[in-house]
Amino acid sequence: LPTGRTLDPVGTSTDLGSMPLAMTLSPDGRKVLVLLNGYREQGVQVVDRATGRVDQTLVQTAAFLGMAFSPDGRTLYASGGNQDVVYRYAWRDDRATLTDSLVLAVKRGPNGTRYPGGVAPSPDGRLLYVAENLADSLAVVDLASARVVQRVATERWPYGVVVARNGTVYVSAWGGSTVSVFTPATPGPLAPAARIRVGRHPSAMLLSADDSRLFVASASTDRIAVVDTRQRRVLTEIFDSPPGGPGEGSTPSALALSSDGTRLLVAESDNNAIALVDLAPGTSGIAAATGEDQIAGRVPTQWYPTAVIARGDTLLALTGKGRGTAPNPNGPRPGRERADAGFDVGQYTLGQTSGALVTSPFARAAGPALAALSARVARANLWGETAPAAKFPPFEHVIYIVKENR
C-alpha cells in the first residue's frame, strides 16, 4: 500500500464499486446489500452471499452511510447524502427497485443543507429516523405521507441512528462527544430524554439483542464505550489500540456482535483487520460470558474495513478500498484537463478505490488458529519492527504550494 503496509487478507473476496461504507443482509440472509459512497459512483449494490456475484448495481446521484430495511423486510432505505433525500426501494424476489425519494429539504443550489447519514425505521415501520449531518438534527419522516413531521436537535454532525424495540432512538454526534436519546411521546413523535457523554467523536453504534447495552465507537480515540441503556451511563470502555501503541490509530469504524452476544467484532479501518473482543459478563449483560473485554485476536482483511457482520462462523467484512491502488499513467496531469477526451475516471486517484466484500469462516476463531491470523495482521502492519534510521537529503527548507485541496 502507499502507507508502506501490505495486505494479507484471509477468505474469499468480491470486488465492488467505489468506497462502500455500509452493508446489511437481506431479510432471508441470502443477499448482502452495500452502499457505495465514493468518487466514481454512488448507490446500492446487491451481492449474492453463496456465489459472491454482484446481482445489481443501482446508481444514485449521491449517497452517505445510511441503509436499513423496514421491519417487514419489504422496503430498503438508502441515504441520498448531498441530494437531501432518502431513496426508497421495494425489495422483492431478491431484487431492489427504486420506488420514490423521501425529500428532507428542497435544494436551492448545488449542495444539500441536510445531508442525511444514518437511517433507521421505528419498530412499527410507520416512521423513519434520519440523521441530518449538516443540520445538527434528527428528522422524523412519516412514511405514509413521505413528509418530515418533526425535527429534534442533536449535538454537532449527527452520524448514526439505532432504535430499540421500545421505540427509544439513539443518535451519535460525529462532531461532539455525546449520544442523544429520544423516547416516544405524545404529542411527538419523539421527546428529548438524555444526552450521554461517551467520548470524542462518537460514530458507529450497536445495540445488544435485549437492548440493555449500547456499544459506541470512537474512531479517533481507539475506544468503544459500553452504555447501560437503562441507567443511561457508560459502564466501561474497551480499548482498541495496536499492540505496543500508540494509543490511537486503529480507527474502529463499525461494530457487530456474535449470535450469543459474548463477542464484539470491531472493524479497524487503519489496521486492515477485524478485531475480536471477548466480553465480560457485566459488559455484555450475559452471565455466561467468559471474556475480560480484551482483544482475543484479529482477522486480516483487505484495505480499510468499513462494516462487519457475523453469522455463526461466517465473518463478512466490507472494505472501502479493497485490493488497493495501482499506477495511473492515463490519469490527470499538468496540461491535460480531466474533461479531455480519453480521460479514464478509474485512473484518477479517487476513482481507483474500489471496495471489496471479504468472507471468511473466522467469526468464532480462537486458540492457535486465531493466533496465526493475528500474526498475519501484525506482519502486514509492521508491528514490532524497528524503523530504519532516516537518511535525510541535504535540503534545509521545503516550500509547499497548495492549490485547492491538493
Side-chain angles (χ1 to χ4, degrees), residues 222 240-248 250 298 378 382-385:
D222 285 0
D240 183 45
S241 297
E248 300 176 1
S250 293
R298 291 177 167 91
L382 306 178
W383 292 339
E385 294 191 13

Side-chain angles (χ1 to χ4, degrees), residues 121-297:
S122 61
D124 60 10
R126 295 188 307 107
L127 304 172
L128 186 70
Y129 305 116
V130 184
E132 297 185 307
N133 188 254
L134 293 184
D136 301 340
S137 59
L138 177 75
V140 182
V141 180
D142 179 86
L143 293 171
S145 64
R147 292 189 306 107
V148 175
V149 294
Q150 186 186 21
R151 284 189 166 96
V152 286
T154 65
E155 208 179 1
R156 292 296 306 276
W157 300 341
Y159 184 89
V161 184
V162 295
V163 182
R165 287 171 296 177
N166 66 3
T168 301
V169 181
Y170 302 90
V171 186
S172 59
W174 212 7
S177 58
T178 64
V179 170
S180 296
V181 185
F182 304 95
T183 53
T186 303
L190 295 178
R195 283 192 180 174
I196 306 169
R197 186 166 295 276
V198 293
R200 191 174 75 203
H201 305 324
S203 52
M205 296 183 296
L206 177 69
L207 280 166
S208 61
D210 64 357
D211 295 335
S212 68
R213 300 291 188 269
L214 177 70
F215 299 88
V216 186
S218 171
S220 64
T221 65
D222 285 0
R223 300 185 184 192
I224 295 98
V226 184
V227 175
D228 182 323
T229 58
R230 296 185 177 96
Q231 299 184 32
R232 293 177 181 165
R233 66 179 184 88
V234 174
L235 286 174
T236 188
E237 287 184 324
I238 296 170
F239 294 90
D240 183 45
S241 297
E248 300 176 1
S250 293
T251 317
S253 60
L255 307 169
L257 280 169
S258 60
S259 55
D260 64 2
T262 64
R263 171 170 277 184
L264 181 70
L265 295 89
V266 184
E268 298 179 318
S269 293
D270 283 315
N271 292 342
N272 305 320
I274 304 298
L276 310 181
V277 181
D278 289 331
L279 300 174
T283 302
S284 63
I286 298 172
T290 59
E292 298 179 349
D293 296 342
Q294 301 295 316
I295 295 176

Side-chain angles (χ1 to χ4, degrees), residues 97-124:
T97 303
L98 182 64
T99 55
D100 63 353
S101 300
L102 306 171
V103 178
L104 302 178
V106 177
K107 288 183 65 175
R108 305 296 184 187
N111 295 316
T113 58
R114 298 289 169 178
Y115 216 94
V119 300
S122 61
D124 60 10

Side-chain angles (χ1 to χ4, degrees), residues 6-10 268 271-274 299-305 315 317-319 322 358 377:
T6 58
L7 295 174
D8 186 18
V10 63
E268 298 179 318
N271 292 342
N272 305 320
I274 304 298
V299 179
T301 70
Q302 291 191 351
W303 195 6
Y304 205 83
L315 172 61
L318 184 68
T319 62
V358 184
V377 173

